[in-house]
Amino acid sequence: MYKPQAIIFDLDGVLTDTSEYHYQAWKHLADDEGISFTHEENDAHLRGVGRRESLTYLLKGRAVSATQQTEMMERKNRYYNDLIKQMTPNEIIDGGIQLLQEIRAAGIKTAIASASKNCMIVLELLDLVRYFDGIADGYSVVHGKPAPDVFVYAAGTVRVPVSACLGVEDADAGIEAIKAAGMIALGIGPRERFQQADKVLPTLARQHLQDILD
Ligand code: BG6
Ligand code: MG
């Protein structure tokens, strides 16, 4: 069985369903602005995509000043924070803690590679910080996914060579980032979402270490 020295997890949509809250916050902004925006579009274009790139998609070519763009990103972030502030450890995927404990008991390091600047808030609300040896988030790097940087940075936090890391992602841009970082990639979601994943599982819930390494 393949055994990595570190497993690097994306957060939103992998360990918890915050991807739905990101969608709802963007939808709220789109409704404010009279822009049509569906769940399907979110899945196809915004999943795992950074805040600015998400706004650019959402505006669909509308001419909006830099000041207005900043205001819109801040507004979306307020809506998102209003949605997440009630989160509790109940919103960790089923079996998530057991999986993280199993990984560490096997002598494998755990790290987070998230594009989100809200990553630490979510990890704290879920009481997950203590299960990770390293955390890389939206403040760690300049170039977001699909650039490899946040995964490379996360590997550095646990001092494991990228070639010995397994990356876990629910977004295709994230899988591209993992492969560009020279890591093995596990996709979480429907098979057709991913171009380059080495393995795909429909969900990380109720999975054991052996299931993700097989
Ligand atoms: C990713 C989410 O983890 O972070 C995206 O999947 C989000 O939906 C991105 O846009 C940036 O997050 P934030 O919290 O910094 O706006
Ligand atoms: Mg994600």
Side-chain angles (χ1 to χ4, degrees):
M1 189 174 66
Y2 161 74
K3 188 180 169 192
Q5 290 172 37
I7 302 185
I8 303 181
F9 293 89
D10 171 45
L11 175 64
D12 298 321
V14 169
L15 293 165
T16 182
D17 203 12
T18 31
S19 42
E20 181 59 27
Y21 295 139
H22 278 291
Y23 163 69
Q24 286 176 20
W26 284 122
K27 176 71 180 153
H28 193 162
L29 179 74
D31 288 349
D32 289 350
E33 300 299 320
I35 300 169
S36 81
F37 180 57
T38 65
H39 218 277
E40 290 67 37
E41 282 180 278
N42 183 71
D43 248 15
H45 302 282
L46 261 58
R47 180 176 286 276
V49 171
R51 204 180 292 181
R52 181 168 290 282
E53 296 78 7
S54 297
L55 179 67
T56 302
Y57 173 82
L58 199 84
L59 289 172
K60 300 179 178 174
R62 283 172 175 72
V64 168
S65 72
T67 315
Q68 284 172 308
Q69 287 183 30
T70 303
E71 183 281 319
M72 286 178 183
M73 287 188 285
E74 284 170 3
R75 192 167 4 133
K76 182 269 174 179
N77 196 46
R78 277 202 307 280
Y79 294 150
Y80 180 69
N81 274 271
D82 279 347
L83 290 165
I84 63 171
K85 69 180 180 212
Q86 309 290 353
M87 285 182 91
T88 69
N90 276 335
E91 292 190 56
I92 301 168
I93 52 158
D94 194 12
I97 299 289
Q98 291 88 324
L99 175 63
L100 291 166
Q101 285 172 333
E102 244 183 82
I103 293 170
R104 290 174 119 189
I108 300 170
K109 301 272 190 207
T110 54
I112 287 281
S114 169
S116 176
K117 291 192 161 88
N118 293 292
C119 173
M120 281 311 295
I121 299 173
V122 172
L123 289 175
E124 276 162 13
L125 287 167
L126 298 180
D127 196 19
L128 272 179
V129 178
R130 59 193 149 133
Y131 297 97
F132 292 97
D133 302 301
I135 295 170
D137 68 7
Y139 291 104
S140 305
V141 298
V142 174
H143 301 293
K145 305 167 190 179
D149 307 26
V150 72
F151 281 94
V152 176
Y153 186 105
T157 64
V158 293
R159 300 190 168 275
V160 171
V162 288
S163 58
C165 292
L166 169 74
V168 187
E169 259 289 347
D170 69 312
D172 192 42
I175 293 289
E176 271 187 58
I178 294 169
K179 293 313 295 178
M183 301 178 183
I184 302 285
L186 169 62
I188 303 297
R191 174 81 250 183
E192 57 276 12
R193 185 184 290 163
F194 307 105
Q195 308 285 317
Q196 300 182 54
D198 296 291
K199 179 183 167 98
V200 175
L201 289 169
T203 168
L204 199 57
R206 296 170 297 282
Q207 302 291 331
H208 291 278
L209 178 58
Q210 202 165 341
D211 304 318
I212 65 176
L213 297 187
D214 265 351

